[in-house]
Amino acid sequence: EYQWKGPFYFIQGADPQFGLMKAWTHGDTDNGDDEWGEEIKLAEQAVQAVNKLNPKPKFFVLCGDLVHGMPGTRWKKSQEQDLKDVLKNTDQDIPLVFVSGNHDIGNTPTRETIDDYCKNWGDDYFSFWVGGVFFLVLNSQLYFDSSKCPELRQAQDAWLDEQLAVAANQKCKHIIVFQHIPLFLSKPDEDDDYFNLDKSTRQEIMEKFHKAGIRAVFSGHYHRNAGGSYKGLEMVVSSAIGCQLGKDTHGLRVVVVTEEKVVHRYYSLTELGSQGIGKELLDMLAEQ
């Protein structure tokens, strides 16, 4: 879909992270993730809310930390299977897009952990077109710590440059990026933190994205809503479907793409499931 066909929308979710709620409550984030019934219910609620939406979203993207278990840990495979069982119920006309998070491939990923993720969920980075808009899915762990697989970071960098060149030639309406770790949480020059990318990496990526005309970066990881902007590039951080670490509620983000802009709003699962998309966003979709 290289051609603009009019406004559309998609749903962004993040961090279903099966297992974190119990681990967090018990203060044992390394081994306390042996129950995830609560997260299963929330993920089911998310799928039901998305299925009820009318018109249908173009796709449903999950921005990483699909489950809590790190590679090689005891419950990971069971958590993944349970998540797949929930996601199988997503309306067949709504494609699912998966983004790798630190719990999916490890804080310091290796070729093996990334291969395992790809076998389970699909490529760790790729691009796709929807109605004249170019979408890029990136593996942000390679920016966070690629010390055990530097050649994979180089490969993603080279690929990204090629993709941005393609986008420039195709005259796309917008370029939108999905990655798990935010570039920054509120300010482009904020201090390094567990929840953002380090300053020098961040600066390099922000500048590259800005020059390429990228409109927005959507991420998760923070388990709270946050965000800011850098030279017209919007950084959108969405809270979790699963465990909340702040004051937000379990939810999903509705993102409307019009010819001029990218507009989004975060809805609680309950609100989205019972009331659907708000009138102001629906009106934008109706504009032709």
Side-chain angles (χ1 to χ4, degrees), residues 79-97:
Q79 290 167 356
E80 288 182 330
Q81 191 51 57
D82 284 353
L83 178 59
K84 286 178 184 181
D85 289 342
V86 173
L87 294 174
K88 274 177 196 154
N89 298 314
T90 309
D91 184 315
Q92 289 179 332
D93 296 329
I94 304 171
L96 287 164
V97 177

Side-chain angles (χ1 to χ4, degrees), residues 41-93:
K41 285 193 197 120
L42 290 162
E44 286 172 342
Q45 198 183 344
V47 167
Q48 284 156 7
V50 170
N51 286 349
K52 275 163 76 174
L53 295 171
N54 185 22
K56 288 186 197 306
K58 282 288 191 177
F59 60 88
F60 176 18
V61 59
L62 282 170
C63 281
D65 282 3
L66 304 172
V67 302
H68 182 67
M70 286 281 188
T73 56
R74 187 169 173 194
W75 308 109
K76 187 176 185 68
K77 288 280 175 254
S78 311
Q79 290 167 356
E80 288 182 330
Q81 191 51 57
D82 284 353
L83 178 59
K84 286 178 184 181
D85 289 342
V86 173
L87 294 174
K88 274 177 196 154
N89 298 314
T90 309
D91 184 315
Q92 289 179 332
D93 296 329

Side-chain angles (χ1 to χ4, degrees), residues 143 183 197 201-210:
Y143 295 131
L183 297 167
L197 292 177
T201 307
R202 180 196 317 166
Q203 187 58 42
E204 191 185 319
I205 298 170
M206 290 189 310
E207 214 27 59
K208 180 182 280 196
F209 285 3
H210 163 66

Side-chain angles (χ1 to χ4, degrees), residues 4 16 20 52 74 118 137 178 201 203 209-210 246 271 284:
W4 176 252
L20 175 59
K52 275 163 76 174
R74 187 169 173 194
C118 294
V137 170
F178 299 118
T201 307
Q203 187 58 42
F209 285 3
H210 163 66
E271 185 186 9
M284 282 181 184

Side-chain angles (χ1 to χ4, degrees), residues 27-278:
D28 180 5
T29 48
D30 291 335
N31 329 301
D33 59 335
D34 58 346
E35 288 172 24
W36 50 90
E38 197 63 36
E39 284 99 340
I40 289 177
K41 285 193 197 120
L42 290 162
E44 286 172 342
Q45 198 183 344
V47 167
Q48 284 156 7
V50 170
N51 286 349
K52 275 163 76 174
L53 295 171
N54 185 22
K56 288 186 197 306
K58 282 288 191 177
F59 60 88
F60 176 18
V61 59
L62 282 170
C63 281
D65 282 3
L66 304 172
V67 302
H68 182 67
M70 286 281 188
T73 56
R74 187 169 173 194
W75 308 109
K76 187 176 185 68
K77 288 280 175 254
S78 311
Q79 290 167 356
E80 288 182 330
Q81 191 51 57
D82 284 353
L83 178 59
K84 286 178 184 181
D85 289 342
V86 173
L87 294 174
K88 274 177 196 154
N89 298 314
T90 309
D91 184 315
Q92 289 179 332
D93 296 329
I94 304 171
L96 287 164
V97 177
F98 296 107
V99 182
S100 63
N102 56 308
H103 283 264
D104 305 311
I105 57 176
N107 286 322
T108 306
T110 65
R111 187 177 279 280
E112 290 69 39
T113 63
I114 292 174
D115 282 350
D116 189 56
Y117 170 87
C118 294
K119 280 195 200 89
N120 256 307
W121 302 102
D123 291 341
D124 59 323
Y125 58 88
F126 56 97
S127 64
F128 60 97
W129 288 85
V130 174
V133 177
F134 192 46
F135 291 92
L136 291 160
V137 170
L138 296 178
N139 178 345
S140 56
Q141 276 329 107
L142 294 174
Y143 295 131
F144 188 79
D145 182 359
S146 62
S147 57
K148 287 188 177 161
C149 55
E151 71 289 353
L152 297 184
R153 158 92 190 254
Q154 285 157 0
Q156 176 171 262
D157 287 346
W159 172 86
L160 179 58
D161 290 340
E162 281 164 25
Q163 295 296 308
L164 294 175
V166 167
N169 287 336
Q170 289 282 359
K171 308 270 185 287
C172 53
K173 278 285 171 214
H174 306 292
I175 310 172
I176 293 173
V177 171
F178 299 118
Q179 60 186 55
H180 178 61
I181 302 182
L183 297 167
F184 57 88
L185 298 173
S186 57
K187 297 192 185 72
D189 60 350
E190 68 198 17
D191 290 339
D192 297 353
D193 185 307
Y194 171 76
F195 289 110
N196 61 22
L197 292 177
D198 74 78
K199 270 186 176 169
S200 62
T201 307
R202 180 196 317 166
Q203 187 58 42
E204 191 185 319
I205 298 170
M206 290 189 310
E207 214 27 59
K208 180 182 280 196
F209 285 3
H210 163 66
K211 287 196 176 115
I214 289 173
R215 179 57 65 106
V217 177
F218 288 88
S219 70
H221 189 49
Y222 192 43
H223 296 254
R224 287 158 279 220
N225 287 309
S229 64
Y230 172 81
K231 298 184 181 176
L233 164 72
E234 191 182 5
M235 180 67 244
V236 185
V237 185
S238 293
S239 198
I241 292 170
C243 188
Q244 300 299 314
L245 301 184
K247 302 267 190 292
D248 296 294
T249 171
H250 311 280
L252 294 167
R253 193 172 291 277
V254 174
V255 187
V256 174
V257 183
T258 73
E259 204 159 355
E260 278 77 46
K261 52 193 192 243
V262 176
V263 183
H264 51 87
R265 184 179 152 202
Y266 186 83
Y267 288 85
S268 76
L269 295 179
T270 311
E271 185 186 9
L272 193 63
S274 59
Q275 295 160 29
I277 301 172

